Amino acid sequence: MNVGEFTRKVVTGQWPILLVGLIFISAFGLVITGYWRRGALVIGIGVGVAAALRLALADDRAGLLVVRSKGIDFATTATVSAAMLYIAWTIDPLGTS
């Protein structure tokens, strides 16, 4: 197996966690550039995407998003997403844009 085949196999098998990772990277980019409130909002959205993917995909297709049973995984990620979205929405901006 060469590098191209290995890369293709990893990307096709782990695309859900890679998608969530890309959302997190964009969120951290916002935080680094000073838009920490928007970054926190995007982190909450990313966790929500993880929850939706875990609920929608079968266990063998969800890849590294599978930790426990589907119900527990969805409940915990949805709760964390709701908490992050609430915090990001209501926190005082402290003078940032």
Side-chain angles (χ1 to χ4, degrees):
M1 176 182 306
N2 63 19
V3 175
E5 291 173 0
F6 177 75
T7 304
R8 190 174 319 106
K9 187 174 182 178
V10 169
V11 169
T12 57
Q14 298 301 329
W15 68 268
I17 197 74
L18 293 173
L19 174 65
V20 173
L22 288 173
I23 295 171
F24 273 49
I25 288 170
S26 65
F28 292 139
L30 286 169
V31 170
I32 289 170
T33 57
Y35 297 103
W36 59 271
R37 231 179 126 191
R38 292 177 187 153
L41 187 66
V42 174
I43 288 172
I45 291 169
V47 176
V49 168
L53 287 173
R54 181 63 181 109
L55 186 63
L57 297 174
D59 287 351
D60 59 335
R61 299 287 298 156
L64 291 173
L65 290 177
V66 177
V67 178
R68 306 240 188 264
S69 69
K70 186 179 278 196
I72 291 174
D73 284 346
F74 174 73
T76 55
T77 53
T79 302
V80 170
S81 175
M84 279 298 299
L85 292 172
Y86 175 76
I87 291 167
W89 195 264
T90 60
I91 197 165
D92 182 27
L94 298 173
T96 61
S97 52

Coordinates of all heavy atoms in Angstrom, one line a residue:
M1 N 0.9 -1.2 0.0 CA 0.0 0.0 0.0 C 0.9 1.2 0.0 O 1.7 1.4 0.9 CB -0.9 0.0 1.2 CG -1.8 1.2 1.4 SD -2.8 1.3 2.9 CE -3.7 -0.2 2.8
N2 N 0.7 2.1 -1.0 CA 1.5 3.3 -1.0 C 0.8 4.5 -0.2 O -0.3 4.3 0.3 CB 1.8 3.7 -2.5 CG 0.5 4.1 -3.2 OD1 -0.5 4.3 -2.6 ND2 0.6 4.1 -4.6
V3 N 1.5 5.6 -0.2 CA 1.0 6.7 0.6 C -0.4 7.2 0.1 O -1.3 7.6 0.9 CB 2.0 7.9 0.6 CG1 1.5 9.1 1.3 CG2 3.3 7.4 1.2
G4 N -0.6 7.3 -1.2 CA -1.8 7.8 -1.8 C -3.0 6.9 -1.4 O -4.1 7.4 -1.0
E5 N -2.8 5.6 -1.5 CA -3.9 4.6 -1.1 C -4.2 4.7 0.4 O -5.3 4.7 0.8 CB -3.5 3.2 -1.4 CG -3.4 2.9 -2.9 CD -2.8 1.6 -3.2 OE1 -2.5 0.8 -2.3 OE2 -2.7 1.2 -4.4
F6 N -3.1 4.9 1.2 CA -3.3 5.0 2.7 C -4.1 6.3 3.0 O -5.0 6.2 3.8 CB -2.0 5.0 3.4 CG -2.1 5.2 4.8 CD1 -2.5 4.1 5.7 CD2 -1.8 6.4 5.4 CE1 -2.6 4.3 7.0 CE2 -1.9 6.6 6.8 CZ -2.3 5.5 7.6
T7 N -3.7 7.4 2.4 CA -4.4 8.6 2.6 C -5.8 8.6 2.2 O -6.7 9.0 2.9 CB -3.7 9.8 1.9 OG1 -2.3 9.8 2.3 CG2 -4.3 11.1 2.1
R8 N -6.1 8.0 1.0 CA -7.5 7.9 0.6 C -8.3 7.0 1.5 O -9.5 7.3 1.8 CB -7.5 7.3 -0.8 CG -8.8 7.3 -1.5 CD -8.8 6.8 -3.0 NE -7.6 7.3 -3.7 CZ -6.6 6.5 -4.1 NH1 -6.6 5.2 -3.7 NH2 -5.6 6.9 -4.8
K9 N -7.7 5.9 2.0 CA -8.4 5.0 2.9 C -8.8 5.7 4.3 O -9.8 5.6 4.8 CB -7.6 3.8 3.2 CG -8.3 2.7 4.0 CD -7.5 1.5 4.1 CE -8.2 0.4 4.8 NZ -7.5 -0.8 4.9
V10 N -7.8 6.5 4.8 CA -8.0 7.2 6.0 C -9.1 8.3 5.8 O -10.0 8.5 6.7 CB -6.7 7.9 6.5 CG1 -7.0 8.8 7.7 CG2 -5.8 6.8 7.0
V11 N -9.0 9.1 4.7 CA -10.0 10.2 4.5 C -11.4 9.6 4.3 O -12.3 10.1 4.9 CB -9.5 11.0 3.3 CG1 -10.6 12.0 2.9 CG2 -8.3 11.8 3.7
T12 N -11.5 8.5 3.5 CA -12.9 8.0 3.3 C -13.4 7.3 4.6 O -14.6 7.3 4.8 CB -12.9 7.0 2.2 OG1 -11.9 5.9 2.4 CG2 -12.6 7.6 0.8
G13 N -12.6 6.8 5.4 CA -13.0 6.1 6.6 C -13.3 7.0 7.8 O -14.1 6.8 8.7
Q14 N -12.6 8.2 7.8 CA -12.6 9.1 9.0 C -13.1 10.5 8.6 O -12.8 11.4 9.3 CB -11.2 9.1 9.6 CG -10.7 7.8 10.2 CD -11.6 7.2 11.2 OE1 -12.3 7.9 11.9 NE2 -11.6 5.9 11.2
W15 N -13.9 10.6 7.6 CA -14.3 11.9 7.2 C -15.1 12.7 8.2 O -15.0 13.9 8.3 CB -15.0 11.9 5.8 CG -16.3 11.2 5.8 CD1 -16.6 9.9 5.6 CD2 -17.6 11.8 6.1 NE1 -17.9 9.7 5.7 CE2 -18.6 10.8 6.0 CE3 -18.0 13.1 6.5 CZ2 -19.9 11.1 6.3 CZ3 -19.3 13.3 6.7 CH2 -20.3 12.3 6.6
P16 N -15.9 12.0 9.0 CA -16.7 12.7 10.0 C -15.8 13.5 11.0 O -16.0 14.7 11.3 CB -17.6 11.7 10.7 CG -17.6 10.6 9.8 CD -16.3 10.6 9.1
I17 N -14.8 12.8 11.6 CA -14.0 13.5 12.5 C -13.1 14.5 11.9 O -12.7 15.6 12.4 CB -13.1 12.5 13.4 CG1 -12.6 13.1 14.6 CG2 -12.0 11.9 12.6 CD1 -13.6 13.4 15.7
L18 N -12.7 14.3 10.6 CA -11.9 15.3 9.9 C -12.7 16.6 9.6 O -12.2 17.7 9.7 CB -11.4 14.7 8.5 CG -10.4 13.6 8.7 CD1 -10.1 13.0 7.3 CD2 -9.1 14.1 9.3
L19 N -14.0 16.4 9.3 CA -14.9 17.6 9.1 C -15.0 18.4 10.4 O -14.9 19.6 10.4 CB -16.3 17.1 8.7 CG -17.4 18.2 8.6 CD1 -17.0 19.2 7.5 CD2 -18.7 17.6 8.3
V20 N -15.2 17.7 11.5 CA -15.3 18.4 12.8 C -14.0 19.0 13.1 O -13.9 20.2 13.6 CB -15.8 17.4 13.9 CG1 -15.7 18.1 15.3 CG2 -17.2 16.9 13.6
G21 N -12.9 18.4 12.8 CA -11.6 19.0 13.1 C -11.3 20.2 12.2 O -10.8 21.2 12.7
L22 N -11.8 20.3 11.0 CA -11.7 21.5 10.2 C -12.5 22.6 10.8 O -12.1 23.8 10.7 CB -12.1 21.2 8.7 CG -11.2 20.3 7.9 CD1 -11.8 20.0 6.6 CD2 -9.8 21.0 7.7
I23 N -13.7 22.3 11.3 CA -14.5 23.3 11.9 C -13.8 23.9 13.1 O -13.7 25.1 13.4 CB -15.9 22.8 12.3 CG1 -16.7 22.4 11.0 CG2 -16.7 23.8 13.1 CD1 -17.9 21.7 11.3
F24 N -13.1 23.0 13.9 CA -12.4 23.4 15.1 C -11.2 24.3 14.7 O -10.9 25.3 15.4 CB -12.0 22.2 15.9 CG -13.0 21.8 16.9 CD1 -14.3 21.6 16.6 CD2 -12.6 21.5 18.2 CE1 -15.2 21.2 17.5 CE2 -13.6 21.1 19.2 CZ -14.9 20.9 18.8
I25 N -10.5 23.9 13.7 CA -9.3 24.7 13.2 C -9.8 26.1 12.8 O -9.1 27.1 13.2 CB -8.6 24.0 12.1 CG1 -7.9 22.7 12.6 CG2 -7.6 24.9 11.4 CD1 -7.3 21.8 11.6
S26 N -10.9 26.2 12.1 CA -11.4 27.6 11.8 C -11.8 28.3 13.0 O -11.6 29.6 13.1 CB -12.5 27.5 10.8 OG -13.6 26.8 11.4
A27 N -12.4 27.7 14.0 CA -12.7 28.3 15.2 C -11.5 28.8 16.0 O -11.5 30.0 16.5 CB -13.5 27.4 16.1
F28 N -10.5 28.0 16.1 CA -9.2 28.4 16.7 C -8.6 29.6 16.0 O -7.9 30.4 16.6 CB -8.3 27.3 16.9 CG -8.8 26.2 17.9 CD1 -8.7 24.9 17.6 CD2 -9.5 26.6 19.1 CE1 -9.1 23.9 18.5 CE2 -9.9 25.7 19.9 CZ -9.8 24.3 19.7
G29 N -8.7 29.6 14.6 CA -8.2 30.7 13.8 C -8.9 32.0 14.2 O -8.3 33.0 14.3
L30 N -10.2 31.9 14.4 CA -11.0 33.1 14.8 C -10.5 33.6 16.2 O -10.3 34.8 16.5 CB -12.5 32.8 14.9 CG -13.2 32.7 13.5 CD1 -14.6 32.2 13.7 CD2 -13.2 34.1 12.8
V31 N -10.3 32.6 17.1 CA -9.8 33.0 18.5 C -8.5 33.7 18.4 O -8.2 34.7 19.1 CB -9.8 31.7 19.4 CG1 -9.1 32.1 20.7 CG2 -11.2 31.3 19.6
I32 N -7.6 33.1 17.6 CA -6.2 33.7 17.6 C -6.2 35.1 17.0 O -5.4 35.9 17.4 CB -5.3 32.7 16.7 CG1 -5.0 31.5 17.5 CG2 -4.0 33.4 16.3 CD1 -4.4 30.4 16.7
T33 N -7.1 35.3 16.0 CA -7.2 36.7 15.4 C -7.9 37.7 16.3 O -8.1 38.8 15.8 CB -7.8 36.6 14.0 OG1 -9.1 36.0 14.1 CG2 -6.9 35.8 13.1
G34 N -8.4 37.3 17.4 CA -9.1 38.2 18.3 C -10.6 38.1 18.4 O -11.2 38.8 19.1
Y35 N -11.2 37.3 17.5 CA -12.6 37.1 17.5 C -13.0 35.9 18.3 O -13.6 35.0 17.9 CB -13.1 37.0 16.1 CG -12.8 38.2 15.2 CD1 -11.8 38.2 14.3 CD2 -13.6 39.3 15.3 CE1 -11.5 39.3 13.5 CE2 -13.4 40.4 14.6 CZ -12.3 40.4 13.6 OH -12.1 41.5 12.9
W36 N -12.7 36.0 19.6 CA -12.8 34.9 20.5 C -14.3 34.5 20.8 O -14.6 33.3 20.9 CB -12.1 35.1 21.8 CG -12.6 36.3 22.6 CD1 -12.1 37.5 22.5 CD2 -13.6 36.3 23.6 NE1 -12.8 38.4 23.4 CE2 -13.7 37.6 24.0 CE3 -14.5 35.3 24.1 CZ2 -14.6 38.0 25.0 CZ3 -15.4 35.7 25.1 CH2 -15.4 37.1 25.5
R37 N -15.2 35.5 20.7 CA -16.6 35.2 20.9 C -17.1 34.4 19.7 O -17.9 33.4 19.8 CB -17.4 36.5 21.0 CG -18.3 36.5 22.2 CD -19.0 37.8 22.4 NE -20.4 37.4 22.5 CZ -21.4 38.3 22.4 NH1 -21.1 39.6 22.2 NH2 -22.6 37.9 22.5
R38 N -16.8 34.8 18.5 CA -17.2 34.1 17.3 C -16.5 32.7 17.2 O -17.2 31.8 16.8 CB -16.8 34.9 16.1 CG -17.7 36.2 16.0 CD -17.2 37.0 14.8 NE -18.0 38.3 14.8 CZ -17.5 39.4 14.3 NH1 -16.4 39.4 13.7 NH2 -18.2 40.5 14.4
G39 N -15.3 32.7 17.7 CA -14.6 31.4 17.8 C -15.3 30.4 18.7 O -15.4 29.2 18.4
A40 N -15.7 30.9 19.8 CA -16.5 30.0 20.8 C -17.8 29.6 20.2 O -18.2 28.4 20.4 CB -16.7 30.8 22.1
L41 N -18.4 30.5 19.4 CA -19.7 30.1 18.7 C -19.4 29.0 17.7 O -20.2 28.0 17.6 CB -20.3 31.3 18.1 CG -21.7 31.2 17.5 CD1 -22.7 30.9 18.6 CD2 -22.1 32.4 16.7
V42 N -18.4 29.1 16.9 CA -18.0 28.1 15.9 C -17.6 26.8 16.6 O -17.9 25.7 16.1 CB -16.9 28.6 15.0 CG1 -16.5 27.6 14.0 CG2 -17.5 29.8 14.2
I43 N -17.0 26.8 17.7 CA -16.7 25.6 18.5 C -18.0 24.9 18.9 O -18.1 23.7 18.7 CB -15.8 25.9 19.7 CG1 -14.4 26.2 19.3 CG2 -15.8 24.7 20.6 CD1 -13.5 26.7 20.4
G44 N -18.9 25.7 19.4 CA -20.2 25.1 19.7 C -20.9 24.5 18.5 O -21.6 23.4 18.6
I45 N -20.8 25.1 17.4 CA -21.4 24.6 16.1 C -20.7 23.3 15.7 O -21.3 22.4 15.3 CB -21.3 25.7 15.0 CG1 -22.3 26.8 15.3 CG2 -21.6 25.1 13.6 CD1 -22.1 28.0 14.4
G46 N -19.4 23.3 15.9 CA -18.6 22.1 15.5 C -19.0 20.9 16.4 O -19.1 19.8 15.9
V47 N -19.2 21.1 17.7 CA -19.6 20.0 18.5 C -21.1 19.6 18.2 O -21.4 18.4 18.2 CB -19.5 20.5 20.0 CG1 -20.1 19.4 20.9 CG2 -18.1 20.8 20.4
G48 N -21.9 20.6 17.8 CA -23.2 20.2 17.3 C -23.2 19.4 16.0 O -24.0 18.5 15.9
V49 N -22.3 19.7 15.1 CA -22.1 18.9 13.9 C -21.7 17.5 14.3 O -22.2 16.5 13.7 CB -21.1 19.6 12.9 CG1 -20.7 18.7 11.8 CG2 -21.7 20.9 12.4
A50 N -20.8 17.4 15.2 CA -20.4 16.1 15.7 C -21.6 15.3 16.3 O -21.7 14.1 16.0 CB -19.3 16.2 16.8
A51 N -22.4 16.0 17.0 CA -23.6 15.3 17.6 C -24.5 14.8 16.5 O -25.0 13.7 16.5 CB -24.3 16.2 18.5
A52 N -24.7 15.7 15.5 CA -25.7 15.3 14.4 C -25.1 14.2 13.6 O -25.8 13.3 13.2 CB -25.9 16.6 13.5
L53 N -23.8 14.2 13.3 CA -23.2 13.1 12.6 C -23.2 11.8 13.3 O -23.5 10.8 12.8 CB -21.7 13.5 12.2 CG -21.5 14.5 11.1 CD1 -20.0 14.9 11.0 CD2 -22.0 14.0 9.8
R54 N -23.0 11.9 14.6 CA -23.1 10.7 15.4 C -24.5 10.1 15.4 O -24.6 8.9 15.4 CB -22.6 11.0 16.9 CG -22.6 9.8 17.8 CD -21.6 8.7 17.3 NE -21.6 7.6 18.2 CZ -22.1 6.4 17.9 NH1 -22.6 6.2 16.6 NH2 -22.1 5.4 18.7
L55 N -25.5 10.9 15.5 CA -26.8 10.5 15.4 C -27.2 9.9 14.1 O -27.9 8.9 14.0 CB -27.8 11.6 15.8 CG -29.3 11.2 16.0 CD1 -29.4 10.2 17.1 CD2 -30.1 12.5 16.3
A56 N -26.8 10.5 13.0 CA -27.2 10.2 11.7 C -26.4 9.0 11.1 O -27.0 8.2 10.3 CB -27.0 11.4 10.7
L57 N -25.2 8.8 11.4 CA -24.4 7.8 10.8 C -24.4 6.5 11.6 O -24.5 6.5 12.8 CB -22.9 8.3 10.7 CG -22.7 9.5 9.8 CD1 -21.2 9.9 9.8 CD2 -23.1 9.1 8.3
A58 N -24.3 5.4 10.9 CA -24.1 4.1 11.6 C -22.8 4.0 12.3 O -21.9 4.8 12.0 CB -24.3 3.0 10.6
D59 N -22.7 3.1 13.2 CA -21.4 3.0 14.0 C -20.2 2.7 13.2 O -19.2 3.3 13.4 CB -21.6 1.9 15.1 CG -22.5 2.2 16.2 OD1 -22.9 3.4 16.3 OD2 -22.8 1.4 17.0
D60 N -20.4 1.9 12.1 CA -19.2 1.6 11.3 C -18.8 2.8 10.3 O -17.7 2.8 9.8 CB -19.4 0.3 10.5 CG -20.7 0.4 9.6 OD1 -21.6 1.2 9.9 OD2 -20.7 -0.3 8.6
R61 N -19.7 3.7 10.1 CA -19.5 4.9 9.3 C -19.0 6.1 10.0 O -18.5 7.0 9.5 CB -20.7 5.2 8.4 CG -21.2 4.1 7.5 CD -20.3 3.9 6.3 NE -20.3 5.1 5.5 CZ -19.3 5.5 4.7 NH1 -18.3 4.7 4.6 NH2 -19.4 6.6 4.0
A62 N -19.3 6.2 11.3 CA -19.0 7.3 12.1 C -17.5 7.4 12.5 O -17.1 8.5 13.0 CB -19.9 7.4 13.4
G63 N -16.8 6.4 12.4 CA -15.3 6.4 12.6 C -15.0 6.8 14.1 O -15.5 6.2 15.0
L64 N -14.1 7.7 14.2 CA -13.6 8.1 15.5 C -14.6 8.9 16.4 O -14.3 9.2 17.5 CB -12.3 8.9 15.4 CG -11.1 8.1 14.9 CD1 -9.9 9.0 14.7 CD2 -10.8 7.0 15.9
L65 N -15.8 9.2 15.8 CA -16.8 9.8 16.6 C -17.5 8.8 17.6 O -18.1 9.2 18.5 CB -17.9 10.5 15.7 CG -17.5 11.7 14.9 CD1 -18.7 12.1 14.1 CD2 -17.1 12.8 15.8
V66 N -17.3 7.6 17.4 CA -17.9 6.5 18.2 C -17.0 6.4 19.5 O -15.8 6.1 19.4 CB -17.9 5.2 17.5 CG1 -18.5 4.1 18.4 CG2 -18.8 5.3 16.2
V67 N -17.6 6.6 20.6 CA -16.9 6.4 21.9 C -17.7 5.4 22.7 O -17.2 4.4 23.2 CB -16.8 7.8 22.6 CG1 -16.1 7.6 24.0 CG2 -16.0 8.8 21.8
R68 N -19.0 5.7 22.9 CA -19.9 4.8 23.7 C -21.0 4.4 22.8 O -20.9 4.4 21.6 CB -20.3 5.5 25.0 CG -19.2 6.1 25.8 CD -19.2 5.5 27.2 NE -18.2 6.1 28.0 CZ -17.0 5.6 28.3 NH1 -16.6 4.6 27.7 NH2 -16.2 6.3 29.1
S69 N -22.2 4.2 23.4 CA -23.4 3.9 22.6 C -23.8 5.2 21.9 O -23.5 6.3 22.3 CB -24.5 3.4 23.5 OG -25.0 4.4 24.3
K70 N -24.6 5.0 20.9 CA -25.1 6.2 20.1 C -25.8 7.2 20.9 O -25.6 8.4 20.8 CB -25.9 5.7 18.9 CG -26.3 6.8 18.0 CD -27.1 6.3 16.8 CE -26.2 5.8 15.8 NZ -26.8 5.6 14.5
G71 N -26.7 6.7 21.8 CA -27.5 7.6 22.6 C -26.6 8.4 23.6 O -26.9 9.6 23.7
I72 N -25.7 7.8 24.2 CA -24.8 8.5 25.2 C -23.9 9.5 24.4 O -23.8 10.6 24.9 CB -24.0 7.5 26.0 CG1 -24.9 6.8 26.9 CG2 -22.9 8.2 26.8 CD1 -24.3 5.7 27.7
D73 N -23.4 9.1 23.3 CA -22.5 10.0 22.5 C -23.3 11.2 22.1 O -22.9 12.3 22.2 CB -22.0 9.3 21.3 CG -20.8 8.3 21.6 OD1 -20.3 8.4 22.7 OD2 -20.5 7.5 20.7
F74 N -24.5 11.0 21.6 CA -25.3 12.1 21.1 C -25.7 13.0 22.3 O -25.6 14.2 22.1 CB -26.6 11.6 20.4 CG -27.5 12.7 20.0 CD1 -27.2 13.6 19.0 CD2 -28.7 12.9 20.7 CE1 -28.1 14.7 18.7 CE2 -29.5 14.0 20.4 CZ -29.2 14.8 19.4
A75 N -26.2 12.4 23.4 CA -26.6 13.2 24.5 C -25.5 14.1 25.1 O -25.7 15.3 25.3 CB -27.1 12.3 25.6
T76 N -24.3 13.5 25.2 CA -23.2 14.3 25.7 C -22.7 15.4 24.8 O -22.5 16.5 25.2 CB -22.0 13.4 26.1 OG1 -21.6 12.6 25.0 CG2 -22.3 12.5 27.3
T77 N -22.6 15.1 23.5 CA -22.1 16.1 22.6 C -23.2 17.2 22.3 O -22.8 18.4 22.2 CB -21.7 15.5 21.2 OG1 -22.7 14.7 20.7 CG2 -20.4 14.7 21.4
A78 N -24.4 16.8 22.3 CA -25.5 17.8 22.2 C -25.5 18.7 23.4 O -25.7 20.0 23.3 CB -26.8 17.1 22.0
T79 N -25.3 18.2 24.6 CA -25.3 19.0 25.8 C -24.1 20.0 25.8 O -24.3 21.2 26.1 CB -25.3 18.1 27.1 OG1 -26.4 17.2 27.0 CG2 -25.3 18.9 28.3
V80 N -23.0 19.5 25.4 CA -21.8 20.3 25.4 C -22.0 21.4 24.3 O -21.6 22.6 24.5 CB -20.5 19.5 25.1 CG1 -19.3 20.4 24.8 CG2 -20.2 18.6 26.3
S81 N -22.6 21.1 23.2 CA -22.8 22.0 22.1 C -23.8 23.1 22.6 O -23.5 24.3 22.4 CB -23.4 21.3 20.9 OG -23.8 22.3 19.9
A82 N -24.9 22.7 23.3 CA -25.8 23.7 23.8 C -25.2 24.6 24.8 O -25.4 25.8 24.8 CB -27.0 23.0 24.4
A83 N -24.4 24.1 25.7 CA -23.7 24.9 26.7 C -22.7 25.9 26.0 O -22.7 27.1 26.4 CB -22.9 24.0 27.7
M84 N -21.9 25.4 25.0 CA -21.0 26.3 24.3 C -21.7 27.4 23.6 O -21.3 28.6 23.6 CB -20.1 25.5 23.4 CG -19.0 24.8 24.0 SD -17.8 25.9 24.7 CE -17.2 26.9 23.4
L85 N -22.8 27.1 22.9 CA -23.6 28.1 22.2 C -24.2 29.1 23.2 O -24.2 30.3 22.9 CB -24.7 27.4 21.4 CG -24.2 26.6 20.2 CD1 -25.3 25.8 19.6 CD2 -23.5 27.4 19.2
Y86 N -24.7 28.6 24.3 CA -25.3 29.6 25.3 C -24.2 30.5 25.8 O -24.4 31.7 25.9 CB -25.9 28.8 26.4 CG -26.4 29.7 27.5 CD1 -27.6 30.4 27.4 CD2 -25.7 29.8 28.7 CE1 -28.1 31.2 28.4 CE2 -26.2 30.6 29.7 CZ -27.4 31.3 29.5 OH -27.8 32.2 30.5
I87 N -23.1 29.9 26.2 CA -22.0 30.7 26.7 C -21.5 31.7 25.7 O -21.3 32.9 26.0 CB -20.8 29.8 27.3 CG1 -21.3 29.1 28.5 CG2 -19.6 30.6 27.5 CD1 -20.4 28.0 28.9
A88 N -21.3 31.3 24.5 CA -20.8 32.2 23.4 C -21.8 33.3 23.1 O -21.4 34.4 22.8 CB -20.5 31.4 22.2
W89 N -23.1 33.0 23.2 CA -24.1 33.9 22.9 C -24.3 35.0 24.0 O -24.6 36.1 23.7 CB -25.4 33.2 22.6 CG -26.4 34.1 21.9 CD1 -27.4 34.8 22.5 CD2 -26.5 34.3 20.5 NE1 -28.2 35.4 21.6 CE2 -27.6 35.2 20.4 CE3 -25.8 33.9 19.4 CZ2 -28.0 35.6 19.1 CZ3 -26.1 34.4 18.2 CH2 -27.2 35.2 18.0
T90 N -24.1 34.6 25.2 CA -24.5 35.5 26.3 C -23.3 36.1 27.0 O -23.5 37.0 27.9 CB -25.3 34.7 27.4 OG1 -24.5 33.6 27.9 CG2 -26.6 34.2 26.8
I91 N -22.1 35.7 26.8 CA -20.9 36.2 27.5 C -20.7 37.7 27.1 O -20.9 38.1 25.9 CB -19.7 35.3 27.2 CG1 -18.6 35.6 28.3 CG2 -19.1 35.5 25.8 CD1 -17.5 34.6 28.3
D92 N -20.2 38.5 28.0 CA -19.9 39.9 27.7 C -18.7 39.9 26.8 O -17.7 39.3 27.0 CB -19.6 40.6 29.1 CG -19.3 42.0 28.9 OD1 -19.8 42.6 27.9 OD2 -18.5 42.6 29.7
P93 N -18.8 40.7 25.7 CA -17.7 40.8 24.7 C -16.4 41.5 25.2 O -15.4 41.4 24.6 CB -18.3 41.5 23.6 CG -19.4 42.3 24.1 CD -20.0 41.5 25.3
L94 N -16.5 42.2 26.4 CA -15.3 42.8 26.9 C -14.6 43.8 25.9 O -13.4 43.8 25.8 CB -14.3 41.8 27.5 CG -14.8 41.0 28.6 CD1 -13.8 39.9 28.9 CD2 -15.2 41.8 29.8
G95 N -15.4 44.4 25.1 CA -14.8 45.4 24.2 C -14.4 44.8 22.9 O -13.9 45.5 22.0
T96 N -14.5 43.5 22.6 CA -14.2 43.0 21.3 C -15.3 43.1 20.4 O -16.4 43.3 20.7 CB -13.8 41.5 21.4 OG1 -14.9 40.7 21.9 CG2 -12.6 41.3 22.4
S97 N -15.0 42.9 19.1 CA -16.1 43.1 18.1 C -16.9 41.8 17.9 O -16.4 40.7 18.2 CB -15.4 43.5 16.8 OG -14.4 42.6 16.4

